[in-house]
């Protein structure tokens, strides 16, 4: 027989009082709205202030608008390139390269990192090689990729994927290796097999760090895709921006810079949001405000 007493967190079962954990208290909706408004306001304060100062400086003649342009002229050029479809075409090419390289590099990084953490022989064989290649600047390897894979899209995707791979792989490996030995001993004492320990202990323990590495790698991938489009592409946002500089069209050059910034921030935010949904169970440990 079960009798509920006044405290909703306690339940009387026979001669035993069972204490249930209190549900996590959520802040009031009003406080959530205040925090959101403050976050948006403070986040936009410096960019908006910089744009206003830029515009006023150009109009007052404090800076040379022929070289530095001004936000109003940049907005006009952006509207013209959007209406003509030029900016959309360049954005589409960059997004395809970014998402493809990032996805391949992330999946390979997680798989290799977990595999190296579980097999000591493979780790001793491949980890020194991977770490030796990691310190080589990625742009220094681009000529090698062009020689091996040709001048098409493949070397660009390998270039982007490789930069993502290293970050995710090493973070995953470190997270798996940092799991305390006591956890493994407890799992063995309960009779869990190697596959069960991998599924129910290692992967959940590594997930918060993997999510953090994926968010970090999203920004690195954006840098790499723009970098490779600067030096070896005939389309994309990187080529759009670099070509505008070569043709001395500063308005279009700044359109490219602003577009790259917006795409990078949105891409990182989407990855962060999706990753947060994947590790909701870790909110209490990793989601605290400090």
């Amino acid at each position: 027989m079960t009798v509920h007493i006044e405290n909703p967190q306690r339940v009387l079962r026979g001669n035993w009082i069972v204490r249930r954990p209190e549900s996590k208290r959520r802040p009031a909706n009003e406080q959530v709205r205040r925090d959101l408004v403050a976050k948006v306001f403070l986040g936009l304060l410096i960019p908006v202030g910089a744009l206003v100062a830029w515009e006023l400086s150009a109009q007052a003649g404090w800076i040379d608008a022929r070289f530095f342009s001004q936000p109003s002229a940049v907005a006009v050029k952006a509207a013209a390139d959007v209406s003509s479809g030029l900016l959309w075409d360049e954005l589409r090419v960059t997004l395809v390269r970014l998402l493809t390289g990032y996805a391949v590099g992330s999946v390979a990084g997680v798989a290799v990192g977990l595999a190296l953490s579980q097999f000591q022989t493979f780790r001793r064989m491949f980890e020194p090689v991977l770490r030796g290649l990691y310190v080589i600047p990625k742009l220094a390897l681009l000529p090698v990729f062009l020689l091996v894979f040709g001048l098409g899209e493949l070397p660009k995707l390998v270039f982007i994927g490789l930069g993502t791979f290293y970050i995710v792989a090493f973070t995953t490996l470190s997270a798996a290796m940092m799991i305390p030995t006591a956890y493994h001993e407890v799992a063995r004492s309960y009779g869990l097999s190697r596959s069960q320990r991998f599924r129910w202990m290692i992967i959940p323990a590594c997930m918060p760090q993997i999510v953090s590495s994926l968010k970090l790698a999203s920004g690195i991938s954006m840098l790499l895709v723009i970098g490779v489009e600067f030096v070896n592409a005939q389309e994309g946002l990187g080529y759009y921006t670099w070509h505008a500089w070569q043709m001395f069209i500063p308005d279009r050059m700044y359109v490219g810079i602003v577009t790259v910034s917006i795409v990078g921030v949105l891409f990182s935010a989407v990855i962060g949001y999706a990753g947060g949904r994947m590790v909701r169970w870790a909110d209490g440990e990793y989601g605290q405000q400090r």
Side-chain angles (χ1 to χ4, degrees):
M1 178 177 179
T2 301
V3 179
H4 294 272
I5 57 180
E6 291 183 1
N7 189 341
Q9 301 302 325
R10 295 183 178 182
V11 178
L12 181 62
R13 297 182 184 275
N15 296 326
W16 297 89
I17 296 179
V18 180
R19 183 184 295 272
R20 294 177 175 174
E22 295 183 1
S23 59
K24 185 178 180 181
R25 295 183 179 179
R26 297 183 177 180
N29 291 335
E30 183 63 27
Q31 184 62 38
V32 173
R33 285 194 292 269
R34 290 177 182 175
D35 292 343
L36 180 60
V37 171
K39 182 178 179 180
V40 173
F41 175 76
L42 293 176
L44 294 177
L45 184 61
I46 294 179
V48 172
L51 289 175
V52 172
W54 182 11
E55 180 71 26
L56 294 178
S57 299
Q59 292 185 1
W62 297 338
I63 61 175
D64 192 339
R66 294 175 300 174
F67 295 96
F68 300 102
S69 189
Q70 58 193 81
S72 57
V74 173
V76 171
K77 176 60 71 173
D81 287 351
V82 168
S83 62
S84 66
L86 174 61
L87 188 58
W88 289 118
D89 292 340
E90 307 294 357
L91 176 61
R92 177 184 55 80
V93 172
T94 296
L95 286 178
V96 170
R97 290 170 178 159
L98 173 66
L99 296 177
T100 304
Y102 176 81
V104 173
S106 298
V107 172
V110 172
V112 171
L114 291 175
L116 292 180
S117 70
Q118 300 305 300
F119 301 100
Q120 188 179 61
T121 302
F122 288 165
R123 183 167 66 252
R124 290 176 176 176
M125 289 175 58
F126 292 105
E127 185 178 3
V129 176
L130 292 177
R131 292 195 180 277
L133 294 174
Y134 173 67
V135 299
I136 301 176
K138 304 304 174 290
L139 280 176
L141 294 175
L142 182 59
V144 178
F145 297 154
L146 295 175
L147 288 174
V148 174
F149 302 110
L151 301 176
E153 286 295 309
L154 186 56
K156 301 180 183 64
L157 299 179
V158 172
F159 178 79
I160 299 164
L162 189 64
T164 304
F165 166 81
Y166 282 128
I167 295 174
V168 177
F170 287 137
T171 303
T172 303
L173 174 60
S174 299
M177 296 300 294
M178 289 175 64
I179 298 176
T181 304
Y183 289 11
H184 292 276
E185 294 176 350
V186 171
R188 293 191 192 97
S189 68
Y190 277 98
L192 271 65
S193 65
R194 189 184 186 95
S195 62
Q196 288 174 327
R197 293 199 308 270
F198 182 79
R199 169 65 181 85
W200 299 108
M201 184 185 71
I202 295 174
I203 291 181
C206 296
M207 279 304 297
Q209 289 85 350
I210 291 175
V211 167
S212 297
S213 70
L214 291 174
K215 186 175 181 180
L216 175 62
S218 65
I220 300 298
S221 299
M222 192 68 201
L223 294 175
L224 293 175
V225 70
I226 298 303
V228 75
E229 287 178 350
F230 271 5
V231 300
N232 182 47
Q234 297 298 318
E235 53 187 354
L237 289 177
Y239 171 77
Y240 172 90
T241 305
W242 185 254
H243 184 67
W245 177 84
Q246 291 178 318
M247 301 299 295
F248 195 69
I249 311 176
D251 297 344
R252 178 169 291 168
M253 181 184 70
Y254 288 112
V255 171
I257 295 173
V258 172
T259 305
V260 168
S261 176
I262 293 174
V263 172
V265 170
L266 291 178
F267 182 53
S268 181
V270 169
I271 297 299
Y273 175 79
R277 301 288 293 179
M278 292 173 60
V279 292
R280 285 179 294 178
W281 49 268
D283 283 349
E285 183 175 357
Y286 295 94
Q288 297 179 7
Q289 293 184 1
R290 294 177 174 85

